[in-house]
């Protein structure tokens, strides 16, 4: 009852204003910045989706280029629609056997930056946007990513979506891979004489015109040029303590006052309600206090419970026949594990493998993300989640793939919850055994075919194809085309019914085989796996069609089974492309004229 009685507004007096705090809210945000290692922290009462849009809107504008993981949260894609910035989509490494993606290799990011440099467009690249950690628990080497990118683009800004990683600052092993900790670390390093001397010696070994050497070498930024500009967004309500939609924006930007503060405040005003919920704001401060006073203890227990769950399933004679939790060797390919570690916990060595891997590998796995392989029971992830876990036993999860379900062990998880989950998995395994025993030989063949489909016949995950020429980024050199594209233009063009048509999968395959370029007018997002396989303006490839045909999920946003894909008509594409080419020709003429005049 007190929760409802506390409902009030800043305009009634006596409370601080979220939009212009001068009292308790100001102090609470300062304390949060201290707790999470930021220079500035801002509270949000409508989730990290809004936090992401605020940051993107404040840092980029129309014509800028943002390097972004195609598999990031949809709020980032919509943020780019709002700003008009061009998206240059990065591809994460695929885990085809589990229908999930990992993260973006640093080599791919460097290659993209070098491509823009060769095309004369590096100055337009403003922001690198990555998810750390991913939903499935893949964590970047944040320090390395920022170091190597700043070596190529010294003023590049970083936005790390840490929606599922807010708890990481509480633990020394996790903290070393957070955005704020590494921003402070780099700023100190770039000020040191020792680093300056090291850089001077290193740069004499580098040929900046040799792309292969740059891709194969760990790059070092010039301390006289590099600017540390880092932002992160936290869903405090997801992995710490706060009411739903309680999130934070953390900033470590040495140019914030000079270049970004006014734009940030305007973006914050744009997306923040004037009727802020004070219960959510108070819960954020409670969560911050908990982090500072008992965060390490809570996260350490979280780690121990996660390992207990894994060990119990691995050693149980019934469970290990039907289920197994994916280990780091399953999630992180060997090429990205310099440590050679396949499992983080060893009964003899304890957590020594975890510390070793987290100190040196390009990618690591958060062990509190327990991905359970369920293909052997003959159910896909969505069916297992709804039919078994939720409807029968009241266990709620929100991430599945075709053959996996994800359990997240957090600071609120108890030993009794782990025991109940083990009990439920045992019941499910016994039910499966009983059903299979009662099957006829024909039914058993159907069941085995289903198991084989889920364990051995996963459709290959498609990479980002390309933007259609009508929506591709501007060419400064007619001979060089970069990967960026304007999803805003395509997004709003799709509002016009006369510009679009529908085509089903079979007809789409025939059209592509005949040479037609089909271009999506909408975001197409299957659940699971939950990432956009198409964005507005993207060419539909044969590989994407094959993936769609192999999916057996019911929920696909942006795709209507009775109609098919919403695509742009050929006349629309011709019209937009002609207008774009005319504009580019004019721009190139003006550029040449300017050079001659100079």
């Amino acid at each position: 009852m007190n929760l409802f009685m506390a409902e009030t507004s800043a305009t009634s007096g006596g409370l601080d204003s979220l939009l212009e705090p001068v009292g308790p809210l100001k102090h609470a945000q300062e304390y949060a910045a201290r707790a999470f290692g930021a220079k500035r922290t801002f509270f949000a009462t409508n989730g990290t989706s809004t936090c992401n849009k605020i940051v993107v809107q404040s840092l980029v504008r129309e014509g800028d280029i943002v390097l972004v993981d195609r598999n990031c949260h949809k709020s980032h894609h919509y943020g780019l629609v709002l700003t008009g910035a061009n998206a240059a989509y990065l591809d994460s490494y695929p885990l085809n056997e589990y229908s999930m993606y990992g993260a973006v290799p640093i080599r791919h990011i460097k290659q993209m930056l070098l491509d823009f440099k060769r095309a004369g467009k590096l100055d337009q690249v403003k922001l690198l946007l990555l998810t750390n950690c991913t939903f499935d628990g893949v964590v970047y080497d944040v320090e390395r990513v920022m170091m190597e990118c700043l070596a190529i683009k010294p003023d590049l800004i970083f936005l790390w979506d840490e929606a599922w990683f807010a708890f990481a600052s509480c633990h020394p092993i996790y903290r070393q891979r957070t955005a704020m900790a590494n921003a402070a670390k780099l700023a100190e390093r770039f000020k040191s004489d020792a680093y300056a001397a090291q850089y001077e010696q290193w740069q004499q070994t580098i040929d900046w015109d040799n792309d292969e050497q740059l891709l194969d070498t760990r790059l070092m930024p010039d301390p006289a040029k590099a600017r540390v500009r880092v932002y992160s967004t936290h869903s405090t309500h997801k992995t710490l303590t706060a009411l739903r939609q309680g999130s934070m924006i953390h900033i470590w930007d040495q140019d914030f006052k000079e270049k970004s503060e006014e734009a940030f405040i305007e973006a914050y005003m744009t997306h923040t309600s004037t009727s802020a919920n004070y219960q959510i704001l108070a819960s954020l401060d409670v969560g911050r206090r908990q982090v500072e006073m008992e965060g390490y203890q809570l996260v350490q227990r979280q780690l121990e419970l996660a390992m207990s769950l894994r060990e119990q399933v691995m050693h149980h004679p019934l469970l290990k026949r039907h289920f197994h939790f994916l280990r780091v060797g399953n999630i992180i390919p060997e090429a990205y594990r310099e440590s050679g570690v396949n499992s983080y916990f060893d009964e003899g060595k304890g957590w020594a493998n975890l510390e070793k891997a987290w100190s040196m590998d390009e990618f690591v796995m958060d062990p509190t993300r327990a991905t359970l392989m369920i293909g052997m029971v003959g159910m896909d992830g969505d069916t297992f989640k709804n039919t078994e876990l939720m409807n029968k036993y009241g266990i709620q999860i929100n991430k599945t793939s075709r053959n996996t379900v994800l359990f997240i062990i957090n600071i609120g998880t108890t030993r009794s919850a782990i025991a109940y989950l083990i009990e439920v998995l045992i019941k499910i395994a016994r039910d499966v055994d009983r059903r299979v025993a009662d099957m006829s030989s024909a039914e058993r063949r159907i069941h085995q075919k289903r198991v084989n489909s889920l364990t051995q016949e996963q459709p290959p995950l498609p990479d980002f194809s390309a933007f259609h020429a009508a929506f591709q980024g501007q060419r400064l050199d007619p001979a060089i085309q970069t990967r960026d594209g304007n999803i805003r233009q395509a997004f709003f063009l799709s509002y016009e019914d006369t510009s679009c048509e529908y085509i089903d999968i079979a007809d789409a395959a025939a059209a592509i085989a005949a040479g037609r370029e089909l271009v999506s007018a909408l975001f197409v997002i299957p659940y699971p796996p939950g990432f956009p396989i198409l964005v507005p303006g993207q060419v539909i490839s044969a590989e994407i069609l094959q993936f769609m045909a192999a999916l057996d999920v019911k929920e696909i946003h942006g795709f209507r089974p009775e109609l098919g894909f919403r695509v742009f008509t050929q006349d629309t594409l011709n019209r937009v492309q002609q207008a774009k080419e005319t504009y580019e020709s004019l721009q190139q003429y003006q550029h040449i004229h300017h050079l001659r005049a100079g």
Side-chain angles (χ1 to χ4, degrees):
M1 184 61 70
N2 286 340
L3 188 68
F4 296 101
M5 292 177 66
E7 176 60 30
T8 187
S9 167
T11 56
S12 63
L15 289 173
D16 205 1
S17 169
L18 179 60
L19 297 177
E20 195 170 345
V22 294
L25 275 172
K26 178 176 181 291
H27 298 316
Q29 291 180 145
E30 290 172 348
Y31 297 159
R34 178 187 68 196
F36 292 98
K39 281 183 173 288
R40 296 282 298 272
T41 291
F42 292 82
F43 288 174
T45 60
N46 37 7
T48 302
S49 295
T50 288
C51 292
N52 292 332
K53 294 170 193 171
I54 290 170
V55 176
V56 171
Q57 181 176 321
S58 68
L59 296 176
V60 299
R61 58 187 176 181
E62 188 174 5
D64 288 342
I65 296 172
V66 177
L67 272 59
V68 54
D69 182 1
R70 191 271 305 266
N71 310 306
C72 66
H73 189 266
K74 65 181 182 180
S75 58
H76 296 293
H77 303 278
Y78 287 120
L80 294 172
V81 169
L82 292 173
T83 63
N86 281 11
Y89 284 115
L90 301 161
D91 288 320
S92 299
Y93 66 80
L95 296 167
N96 292 318
E97 59 270 44
Y98 309 118
S99 292
M100 66 176 71
Y101 283 97
V104 183
I106 183 61
R107 185 183 180 91
H108 181 41
I109 301 171
K110 288 161 65 177
Q111 182 67 70
M112 186 81 79
L113 288 170
L114 292 172
D115 288 344
F116 281 112
K117 183 179 180 181
R118 304 299 177 221
K121 296 172 63 174
L122 189 60
D123 62 319
Q124 293 176 239
V125 178
K126 295 296 173 66
L127 181 67
L128 173 63
L129 196 165
L130 296 172
T131 304
N132 190 53
C133 64
T134 69
F135 213 147
D136 299 295
V138 180
V139 182
Y140 286 85
D141 184 340
V142 173
E143 177 186 359
R144 179 181 177 186
V145 170
M146 295 199 295
M147 284 280 287
E148 296 213 52
C149 290
L150 288 174
I152 301 171
K153 171 75 174 171
D155 60 348
L156 186 65
I157 310 171
F158 300 88
L159 170 54
W160 295 94
D161 183 339
E162 296 182 339
W164 290 94
F165 210 45
F167 70 95
S169 62
C170 301
H171 197 284
I173 293 178
Y174 282 100
R175 190 184 306 122
Q176 64 187 319
R177 293 201 173 222
T178 63
M180 293 297 101
N182 282 286
K185 183 178 180 180
L186 293 189
E188 285 299 311
R189 179 180 299 169
F190 295 158
K191 290 189 295 186
S192 72
D193 294 335
Y195 177 80
Q198 185 182 6
Y199 171 77
E200 287 300 323
Q201 184 178 5
W202 173 85
Q203 71 164 342
Q204 296 175 16
T205 67
I206 290 296
D207 178 4
W208 285 98
D209 292 322
N210 185 338
D211 280 9
E212 283 305 310
Q213 183 188 20
L214 297 176
L215 292 173
D216 293 336
T217 304
R218 284 209 180 191
L219 305 181
M220 296 177 64
D222 184 344
K225 296 179 180 178
R227 309 299 295 170
V228 180
R229 308 191 63 192
V230 184
Y231 295 71
S232 70
T233 53
H234 279 179
S235 289
T236 316
H237 66 91
K238 281 185 168 75
T239 63
L240 292 172
T241 297
L243 292 176
R244 177 65 60 180
Q245 296 190 38
S247 295
M248 299 184 191
I249 301 170
H250 302 297
I251 301 172
W252 212 113
D253 182 352
Q254 65 185 102
D255 295 329
F256 184 69
K257 284 282 186 182
E258 187 71 25
K259 296 183 177 180
S260 302
E261 184 175 33
E262 290 185 0
F264 182 90
I265 295 302
E266 284 300 313
Y268 190 77
M269 297 284 187
T270 300
H271 294 279
T272 300
S273 172
T274 55
S275 301
N277 183 298
Y278 283 88
Q279 293 93 323
I280 296 176
L281 293 172
S283 74
L284 285 170
D285 195 38
V286 169
R288 182 276 314 166
R289 186 174 185 270
Q290 187 178 47
V291 163
E292 291 194 298
M293 298 188 69
E294 53 182 336
Y296 172 77
Q297 175 187 353
L298 292 171
V299 174
Q300 185 64 27
R301 186 186 68 176
Q302 173 182 343
L303 270 169
E304 291 166 358
L305 288 176
M307 192 48 61
S308 171
L309 173 62
R310 294 172 182 275
E311 292 295 310
Q312 289 185 62
V313 171
M314 183 167 60
H315 293 128
H316 194 284
L318 174 62
L319 292 182
K320 68 182 181 181
R321 287 197 295 108
H322 294 280
F323 307 108
H324 69 268
F325 282 108
L326 301 188
R327 308 173 102 180
V328 62
N330 303 119
I331 299 291
I332 313 293
E334 187 176 358
Y336 308 121
R337 286 184 285 113
E338 297 177 19
S339 67
V341 170
N342 287 307
S343 180
Y344 286 153
F345 185 79
D346 183 270
E347 293 181 357
K349 298 179 181 179
W351 293 102
N353 283 346
L354 176 68
E355 296 179 15
K356 178 183 177 182
W358 277 63
S359 67
M360 62 188 302
D361 289 352
E362 178 174 347
F363 298 114
V364 293
M365 185 186 76
D366 173 10
T368 66
R369 303 301 176 90
T371 300
L372 186 69
M373 177 67 175
I374 61 167
M376 290 300 294
V377 301
M379 282 182 273
D380 62 74
D382 193 54
T383 301
F384 192 86
K385 165 190 170 181
N386 292 308
T387 304
E388 298 294 328
L389 294 179
M390 189 173 294
N391 292 346
K392 288 186 179 179
Y393 302 106
I395 295 176
Q396 297 187 19
I397 60 172
N398 60 2
K399 168 64 171 66
T400 66
S401 73
R402 282 194 78 231
N403 55 14
T404 69
V405 295
L406 175 67
F407 299 105
I408 300 177
I409 294 85
N410 55 42
I411 62 172
T413 303
T414 62
R415 293 191 181 278
S416 60
I418 298 295
Y420 179 64
L421 177 57
I422 293 294
E423 178 186 342
V424 166
L425 292 177
I426 291 172
K427 289 180 179 179
I428 293 173
R430 286 173 177 166
D431 285 345
V432 170
D433 282 349
R434 279 195 293 267
R435 286 201 302 269
V436 173
D438 289 341
M439 288 178 180
S440 65
S441 57
E443 290 173 330
R444 195 170 288 115
R445 285 195 297 271
I446 294 172
H447 173 75
Q448 190 58 48
K449 183 178 179 180
R450 178 67 172 160
V451 170
N452 292 341
S453 171
L454 291 169
T455 58
Q456 302 174 25
E457 302 169 1
Q458 296 301 317
L461 295 167
D463 285 335
F464 182 80
S465 52
F467 284 106
H468 185 270
F471 304 107
Q472 287 175 354
Q474 180 185 351
R475 295 189 186 193
L476 298 181
D477 183 337
I480 302 177
Q481 177 60 57
T482 50
R483 203 176 182 187
D484 58 309
N486 188 333
I487 60 174
R488 176 186 174 90
Q489 181 186 15
F491 181 87
F492 286 109
L493 186 62
S494 70
Y495 283 20
E496 302 172 7
D497 286 340
T498 55
S499 296
C500 304
E501 60 182 317
Y502 284 95
I503 184 168
D504 63 30
I505 289 183
D507 290 340
I512 292 173
R516 179 182 172 186
E517 279 192 305
L518 294 178
V519 182
S520 179
L522 301 173
F523 288 100
V524 177
I525 308 175
Y527 279 86
F531 55 83
I533 62 170
L534 288 169
V535 302
Q538 181 184 344
V539 175
I540 302 175
S541 65
E543 291 74 19
I544 290 172
L545 288 184
Q546 291 170 8
F547 180 76
M548 287 283 290
L551 285 177
D552 50 7
V553 299
K554 301 179 180 65
E555 186 178 352
I556 304 179
H557 300 174
F559 177 81
R560 298 177 62 179
E562 73 278 15
L563 295 175
F565 297 98
R566 184 173 171 90
V567 299
F568 292 112
T569 65
Q570 192 60 52
D571 287 344
T572 299
L573 295 174
N574 293 340
R575 172 169 50 86
V576 174
Q577 186 169 351
Q578 183 177 7
K580 177 176 176 289
E581 290 172 352
T582 301
Y583 176 77
E584 285 185 351
S585 297
L586 178 62
Q587 291 293 99
Q588 290 165 8
Y589 170 80
Q590 291 176 339
H591 179 64
I592 294 172
H593 180 73
H594 176 74
L595 291 177
R596 287 175 177 171

